[in-house]
């Protein structure tokens, strides 16, 4: 069910042998204190950024809060199936506006109403979203039209990691 979050909600899931606790916080500026409370107890965070709206003022505020509490994070760009989706532009905004070393680990296959999956840059494989709401995932070879972009993104990813890992740089 879709809607906006107006208070923090907690849940959990298991992934392999790991128990993951999830805290969903509101993104709206009126609920900044909810984000502050959650950030004090987190080991890591997922910064969700809209593929259409991109980095907005509240995104910058939440990023600033994450820096204050020294919370490591990954960014997740959602809504690639919406009209006006521009995930490449959002990655650039994350670099420019948030000053983060952002590199895509997935390439969307199609955008807007043509979005049907993603290329996993690390594993070099295609992930297809099937079912009424894309709830079923299948895997396959990277389609020919994405191979070159996948390799370029993979090289950019290795370079970005090498900037912070001396062993890999050598």
């Amino acid at each position: 069910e879709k809607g906006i979050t107006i208070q923090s909600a907690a849940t959990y899931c298991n992934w392999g042998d790991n128990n993951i606790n999830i805290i969903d916080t509101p993104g709206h500026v009126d609920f900044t204190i909810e984000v502050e409370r959650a950030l004090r107890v987190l080991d890591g965070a997922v910064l969700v950024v809209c593929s259409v709206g991109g980095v907005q003022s509240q995104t910058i505020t939440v990023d600033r809060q994450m820096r204050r509490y020294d919370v490591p994070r990954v960014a997740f760009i959602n809504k690639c199936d919406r009209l006006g989706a521009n995930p490449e532009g959002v990655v650039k905004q994350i670099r420019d506006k948030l000053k983060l070393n952002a590199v895509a680990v997935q390439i969307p296959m199609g955008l807007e109403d043509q979005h049907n999956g993603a290329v996993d840059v690390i594993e070099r494989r295609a992930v297809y979203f099937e079912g009424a709401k894309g709830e079923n995932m299948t895997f396959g070879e990277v389609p020919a039209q994405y191979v070159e972009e996948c390799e370029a993104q993979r090289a950019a990813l290795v370079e970005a990691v090498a900037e912070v890992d001396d062993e890999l740089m050598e």
Side-chain angles (χ1 to χ4, degrees), residues 9-158:
T11 188
Y12 72 94
C13 66
N14 294 310
W15 186 43
D17 293 334
N18 300 299
N19 185 20
I20 300 173
N21 296 304
I22 302 167
I23 302 173
D24 180 16
T25 63
H28 192 274
V29 69
D30 290 344
F31 302 99
T32 300
I33 195 66
E34 290 285 329
V35 176
E36 287 275 344
R37 282 189 203 125
L39 286 173
R40 292 180 186 149
V41 299
L42 296 179
D43 295 324
V46 178
L47 180 64
V48 179
V49 184
C50 174
S51 182
V52 179
V55 173
Q56 299 175 358
S57 61
Q58 187 61 16
T59 314
I60 295 167
T61 299
V62 171
D63 179 68
R64 191 176 310 121
Q65 291 171 311
M66 290 177 178
R67 289 176 196 272
R68 182 179 314 130
Y69 292 102
D70 207 21
V71 175
R73 59 204 165 281
V74 297
F76 179 82
I77 301 171
N78 68 350
K79 301 181 183 175
C80 288
D81 60 338
R82 300 272 177 92
L83 185 64
N86 182 5
E88 272 185 48
V90 174
V91 171
K92 184 173 179 351
Q93 289 178 352
I94 291 170
R95 280 192 217 113
D96 296 345
K97 293 182 177 184
L98 302 180
K99 306 296 184 215
L100 294 172
N101 188 15
V103 181
V105 295
Q106 291 185 336
I107 302 164
M109 293 191 298
L111 291 172
E112 301 175 350
D113 62 346
Q114 300 298 311
H115 184 55
N116 68 343
V119 173
D120 181 333
V121 172
I122 296 170
E123 297 290 331
R124 291 180 169 129
R125 68 179 178 176
V127 182
Y128 295 95
F129 309 131
E130 298 173 347
K133 296 184 178 181
E135 67 275 10
N136 301 317
M137 295 188 325
T138 59
F139 303 93
E141 296 290 318
V142 175
Q145 70 264 36
Y146 296 106
V147 170
E148 189 176 320
E149 184 180 359
C150 177
E151 292 307 312
Q153 281 294 99
R154 187 173 169 81
L157 178 60
V158 169

